Amino acid sequence: QVIKCKAAVMWEANKPFSIEEVEVAPPKAHEVRIKIVATGICRTDDHAINGALVTPFPVILGHEAAGIVESVGEGVTSVKPGDKVIPLFVPQCGECRSCLSTKGNLCSKTDLGTAAGLMPDGTSRFTCKGKIIHHFISTSTFTEYTVVHETAVAKIDSGAPLEKVCLIGCGFSTGYGAAVKTAKVDPGSTCAVFGLGGVGLSVVMGCKAAGASRIIAVDINSDKFAKAKELGATDCVNPKDFKKPIHEVLIEMTGQGVDYSFEVIGRTETMTAALACCHYNYGVSVVVGVPPSAQMITFDPMVLFTGRSWKGSVFGGWKSKDSVPKLVADYMKKKFVLDPLITYTLPFTKINEGFDLLRTGK
């Protein structure tokens, strides 16, 4: 039956979240209803609030979470009530060209980029005050209960601490995978990471795990440098400390540029700077930050002609349903840490304060 619960509803753009009682419909065929236990706040949610990422309103945002299956619709075989799970903002249908290719992970069933804000059947499972509330990128985790399609949920280790592994639902996996999977950083290489939020720090961890000998962390907020060094950065650079463009600074520091660079902010200026700072012939630059919609990039094509590679990475290149349980297992085996990425733990009703902390770089 219908569950009534609390959710943080975003009624319109650029307004605070409103904690409301919502009705969550039962799961239809091949759908799963999840009790959300912990959810992270990610910059991508903020992009949706301010319009940089187009999504229909009213909406329940949130996409980085962990929870417990409450009920399943008919035909669901991969999870059952009581299972610990992580919702997947990049689904894995196992049938489309990306899913069938060893090279791809961006399932065609994704709502990223199309922004329908509905379940695959074109309807919503949320209502509030008699109005339909939209879903957000196949997940919608800023609610006590959510409904996702079976292709957008992964069963994880029953012993996993949900308040930590929720980060594997987006931030950690996105950054770590951008280094080890998309860029395939090799031992002894030099890397530059632009942006030291949770995802950027996860890129630093990925570069270190891959054996990079030099990891240069770049951010305009020097308060973030101590944690970056703790997680593996060898150098920290604040662009505000220099009169010249940051890519020139990095080229001077490294001789002819870095082997790998990562843009983990979502700004067009830093994307072109990250491309320019990598080696002119064999440098690889990866766009990890969500690009602002309706903005274009202009750059000198000679930058690419000499041999550089420019790549994008969604969810770290991982095939979500296959990889998330393995990443959780690796965390349980202490192959990587998540605690340093968690700066504050707040009750759900203080979600607006959480976003203030995000926006102030805390």
Side-chain angles (χ1 to χ4, degrees):
Q1 59 265 36
V2 171
I3 288 180
K4 289 188 174 180
C5 67
K6 281 206 294 272
V9 177
M10 179 62 52
W11 289 104
E12 52 186 309
N14 296 305
K15 289 276 164 49
F17 287 92
S18 180
I19 302 289
E20 306 277 6
E21 182 180 83
V22 298
E23 295 86 42
V24 184
K28 293 187 184 178
H30 303 292
E31 293 177 359
V32 180
R33 189 159 58 180
I34 305 167
K35 179 186 197 321
I36 299 290
V37 173
T39 182
I41 291 177
C42 174
R43 180 67 76 177
T44 305
D45 301 306
D46 199 38
H47 286 331
I49 295 166
N50 62 33
L53 179 69
V54 177
T55 193
F57 292 92
V59 63
I60 293 174
L61 296 174
H63 63 284
E64 178 182 89
I68 295 163
V69 175
E70 177 271 334
S71 59
V72 298
E74 65 177 272
V76 171
T77 54
S78 61
V79 295
K80 62 184 187 307
D83 284 348
K84 284 190 177 179
V85 292
I86 287 179
L88 310 169
F89 73 90
V90 173
Q92 187 182 344
C93 72
E95 294 163 4
C96 69
R97 279 181 64 181
S98 285
C99 283
L100 291 171
S101 165
T102 53
K103 297 186 251 186
N105 78 318
L106 189 55
C107 175
S108 68
K109 298 278 194 290
T110 182
D111 194 28
L112 203 64
T114 57
L118 298 165
M119 293 297 285
D121 73 350
T123 62
S124 169
R125 301 292 164 272
F126 301 120
T127 47
C128 179
K129 298 179 178 171
K131 291 195 176 72
I132 296 283
I133 308 293
H134 290 89
H135 292 250
F136 181 60
I137 51 177
S138 314
T139 46
S140 288
T141 62
F142 293 164
T143 168
E144 292 176 319
Y145 288 87
T146 191
V147 177
V148 302
H149 194 269
E150 187 181 11
T151 55
V153 63
K155 179 183 173 177
I156 59 166
D157 185 328
S158 61
L162 299 181
E163 73 285 0
K164 311 262 198 256
V165 299
C166 61
L167 298 182
I168 292 173
C170 177
F172 173 77
S173 307
T174 296
Y176 191 77
V180 302
K181 211 164 167 58
T182 305
K184 297 185 170 61
V185 168
D186 35 25
S189 56
T190 302
C191 303
V193 181
F194 288 70
L196 300 174
V199 184
L201 291 171
S202 300
V203 174
V204 170
M205 289 158 72
C207 292
K208 186 181 180 188
S213 61
R214 195 170 182 195
I215 303 167
I216 305 168
V218 183
D219 203 298
I220 56 171
N221 179 353
S222 298
D223 294 347
K224 302 200 167 185
F225 292 166
K227 190 160 276 185
K229 287 200 159 150
E230 178 194 329
L231 292 172
T234 54
D235 308 70
C236 292
V237 179
N238 188 330
K240 288 180 166 173
D241 296 342
F242 300 89
K243 292 269 196 296
K244 60 178 76 163
I246 188 63
H247 73 273
E248 291 179 16
V249 174
L250 293 168
I251 287 169
E252 276 178 23
M253 284 174 70
T254 55
Q256 289 188 321
V258 299
D259 299 306
Y260 301 96
S261 66
F262 301 86
E263 199 281 353
V264 207
I265 303 164
R267 293 175 62 89
T268 52
E269 309 85 79
T270 36
M271 287 172 189
T272 45
L275 179 66
C277 83
C278 70
H279 189 276
Y280 68 94
N281 177 215
Y282 55 77
V284 174
S285 187
V286 183
V287 173
V288 189
V290 175
S293 58
Q295 282 194 22
M296 296 295 150
I297 286 184
T298 312
F299 68 101
D300 177 358
M302 185 57 83
V303 173
L304 286 179
F305 174 76
T306 53
R308 288 181 182 89
S309 304
W310 210 358
K311 307 179 85 154
S313 180
V314 176
F315 194 57
W318 305 107
K319 287 193 187 287
S320 58
K321 216 167 158 84
D322 293 345
S323 304
V324 162
K326 291 179 186 152
L327 286 164
V328 171
D330 283 350
Y331 170 73
M332 299 298 280
K333 290 179 199 144
K334 299 191 164 48
K335 288 195 180 171
F336 54 81
V337 293
L338 292 173
D339 286 43
L341 302 177
I342 301 169
T343 40
Y344 291 86
T345 303
L346 301 168
F348 181 45
T349 49
K350 294 201 170 170
I351 188 165
N352 285 308
E353 291 173 39
F355 273 86
D356 290 341
L357 290 164
L358 174 84
R359 291 168 190 142
T360 51
K362 293 180 179 155

